[in-house]
Amino acid sequence: TTSDKKSLLPITPESEMIMFEFANGVSVTLRTSGTEPKIKYYTEIAGSPGESRSKAEAVLHTFVNQLVNEMLHPDEYGLT
C-alpha cells in the first residue's frame, strides 16, 4: 500500500474489481456479487505458442486451486 493506505494493485474503480496478472500467463479478476454475499472470480490463461489446450487448462486449474486456497482460505471461512 501507499503511505495514504491506497492499494498498489490494479483496480477498476467504476466496477470495484481487483485484477491480477501472473507471470505464467494467468489473469484473475475478483469482485463481490452485487446481489449476494459472495466473492466471484474469473480466470483465464494465455497459453504458450504450440501448447495444447488441455495443457493450458491443467495449468490454469492447478493454479486457480492454489490461488483460492492461499487468498480466500475457503476451509477457514466456510467458503464452499
Side-chain angles (χ1 to χ4, degrees):
T1 60
T2 63
S3 61
D4 60 351
K5 305 291 186 210
K6 294 192 183 222
S7 175
L8 294 173
L9 296 172
I11 59 172
T12 55
E14 67 279 356
S15 58
E16 299 180 9
M17 293 188 280
I18 299 174
M19 301 181 313
F20 300 90
E21 292 184 354
F22 297 91
N24 64 352
V26 173
S27 296
V28 177
T29 302
L30 296 172
R31 71 173 183 90
T32 57
S33 171
T35 58
E36 301 172 282
K38 65 178 163 181
I39 297 170
K40 296 184 175 189
Y41 63 90
Y42 306 90
T43 62
E44 61 184 290
I45 188 168
S48 300
E51 181 179 45
S52 70
R53 181 183 177 118
S54 61
K55 168 82 172 155
E57 287 174 344
V59 169
L60 180 62
H61 182 73
T62 299
F63 187 83
V64 168
N65 285 338
Q66 292 172 341
L67 185 73
V68 166
N69 286 326
E70 289 292 320
M71 291 182 74
L72 303 178
H73 302 274
D75 295 332
E76 183 178 344
Y77 297 110
L79 302 173
T80 56

